[in-house]
Amino acid sequence: MNSENAVGLKLSGLLNIHKREGMTSRQVVDQIQKRVKPAKAGHAGTLDPLATGVLVVCIGSATRLIRFVQEQPKEYIGEFVLGKRSDTDDIEGNVTETPDCSPLTREQLEICLPALTGKIEQVPPQFSAVHIDGQRAYDRARRGETFEIQPRTVEVHELELLDFEFPRFQLRIVCGSGTYVRSLGRDLGEQLGVGALMTSLVRTRIGSFHLSSAITLDQEFSLESITTQLHNPASAVAHLTQYVCNEQELKHLSQGRKLECHHDQFPADSQQAEIAVITQEGELAAIAEWNRSLNQLSPRQVFFQPAS
């Protein structure tokens, strides 16, 4: 095995990538995969080709943490235009104009925002990755099929109107997993009776990963530069309750053994909860399930590997 492959095998961590417009999230992962193989790579939350901004790519054993990154709040800045509709809910679809669309005011738009804030029922776009009868919705839409997507519950934590100059407006959105920003714009337009579609989107944050510290893919993006930019896998679970284990507990975890544990920081309102177990050096040792009635931590995913 050459030295580069040996390094790849040991890689584990997260990259905060600034995805450019026109690239798919899969293309970003493929570029990174070429440089880190044989380590695996996967992204935590798709960005459409139209969108730019934060794309977190997990590498090596950190790919097992993708769902934890996806669970964290996401922040976006979206640009929209009123008086237009499309089959994709954005500018890249088949666009139709709303006839006789009268100018609207900032106040008329702002009064609609509370109805789209909090836990809401949202219908994903026809051109989306949701599964309908075992097939991706966008595959069926591209074939011209007629189908219905059931609404799903999503959570919009913050919805702020940043700028308005009819017919264009800009929103800042902080939302949970599964929220379609272009659907928020579409639904605002429907509330106003004129339609709306998204013209651009920037994801500015996922959890603690901010656009200001994201790195771009360029010609000099190498295995060496990747190793210097990797974030600690523990950053993927920063939102979980954490337990710092001692050396003996770390040994038990590596053997798959449960820990007897009394801790006042563990959630008191649930019978079971996921806990991030951290070493005294700040590394992620395991994801464990805490059983309140038994006061036990049971390892579910172990990341610590004892020296051979």
Side-chain angles (χ1 to χ4, degrees):
M1 181 182 294
N2 64 39
S3 59
E4 194 165 282
N5 283 347
V7 171
L9 276 173
K10 298 177 182 179
L11 281 182
S12 179
L14 298 91
L15 284 175
N16 180 9
I17 301 294
H18 183 173
K19 187 190 88 67
R20 62 175 173 81
E21 186 176 348
M23 290 189 77
T24 67
S25 298
R26 184 67 248 174
Q27 286 171 333
V28 173
V29 171
D30 287 345
Q31 285 200 28
I32 293 169
Q33 182 74 78
K34 290 177 184 177
R35 292 164 172 80
V36 303
K37 62 183 182 182
K40 297 182 294 183
H43 67 77
T46 303
L47 277 178
D48 292 334
L50 173 67
T52 65
V54 173
L55 184 72
V56 177
V57 177
C58 300
I59 295 173
S61 62
T63 55
R64 298 156 66 194
L65 299 169
I66 284 175
R67 72 176 178 91
F68 294 101
V69 181
Q70 292 173 329
E71 289 172 359
Q72 299 185 47
K74 303 169 181 67
E75 181 183 66
Y76 299 89
I77 304 295
E79 303 272 355
F80 305 85
V81 61
L82 293 163
K84 298 177 186 288
R85 295 178 173 90
S86 84
D87 53 357
T88 59
D89 297 336
D90 62 28
I91 197 67
E92 296 196 317
N94 295 314
V95 177
T96 59
E97 304 271 348
T98 303
D100 304 319
C101 180
S102 301
L104 298 167
T105 66
R106 184 185 185 102
E107 291 69 29
Q108 286 175 294
L109 186 64
E110 285 184 322
I111 204 169
C112 296
L113 299 184
L116 293 172
T117 307
K119 288 188 176 180
I120 62 171
E121 294 296 302
Q122 184 185 73
V123 177
Q126 293 280 301
F127 283 83
S128 64
V130 300
H131 283 92
I132 305 295
D133 297 328
Q135 300 180 61
R136 297 287 189 183
Y138 54 66
D139 288 331
R140 299 189 63 173
R142 286 168 184 157
R143 293 196 296 265
E145 297 180 16
T146 301
F147 59 94
E148 185 177 350
I149 302 179
Q150 295 300 315
R152 4 179 112 189
T153 302
V154 298
E155 187 163 12
V156 179
H157 305 291
E158 298 177 48
L159 188 59
E160 178 186 4
L161 181 61
L162 296 180
D163 191 37
F164 179 85
E165 186 174 349
F166 185 83
R168 300 189 175 277
F169 64 97
Q170 183 186 69
L171 295 175
R172 184 182 73 89
I173 305 105
V174 180
C175 58
S177 181
T179 307
Y180 281 89
V181 174
R182 48 196 162 114
S183 293
L184 288 174
R186 175 201 67 200
D187 292 345
L188 271 174
E190 294 309 317
Q191 282 192 51
L192 293 163
V194 299
L197 55 78
M198 188 177 76
T199 56
S200 70
L201 183 67
V202 181
R203 184 153 66 193
T204 54
R205 178 174 65 87
I206 300 179
S208 61
F209 297 93
H210 291 259
L211 183 59
S212 58
S213 57
I215 58 176
T216 58
L217 295 177
D218 55 42
Q219 291 182 339
E220 297 183 12
F221 196 67
S222 63
L223 178 60
E224 183 179 356
S225 63
I226 286 173
T227 58
T228 63
Q229 297 290 345
L230 278 178
H231 292 256
N232 189 323
S235 61
V237 291
H239 60 299
L240 296 184
T241 300
Q242 300 195 350
Y243 175 73
V244 179
C245 65
N246 59 39
E247 288 296 324
Q248 187 62 35
E249 291 172 321
L250 190 58
K251 182 179 179 180
H252 288 170
L253 285 171
S254 69
Q255 297 168 346
R257 294 166 60 182
K258 297 178 181 180
L259 303 182
E260 298 296 329
C261 192
H262 298 267
H263 206 279
D264 56 10
Q265 290 185 356
F266 291 172
D269 58 352
S270 61
Q271 183 64 22
Q272 294 179 320
E274 286 184 308
I275 305 295
V277 183
I278 308 295
T279 70
Q280 293 175 338
E281 293 73 34
E283 300 297 322
L284 179 63
I287 304 297
E289 186 179 87
W290 179 61
N291 187 309
R292 182 160 61 95
S293 62
L294 299 175
N295 287 314
Q296 285 184 336
L297 279 176
S298 301
R300 293 292 178 256
Q301 291 178 286
V302 177
F303 294 88
F304 171 75
Q305 295 295 328
S308 55

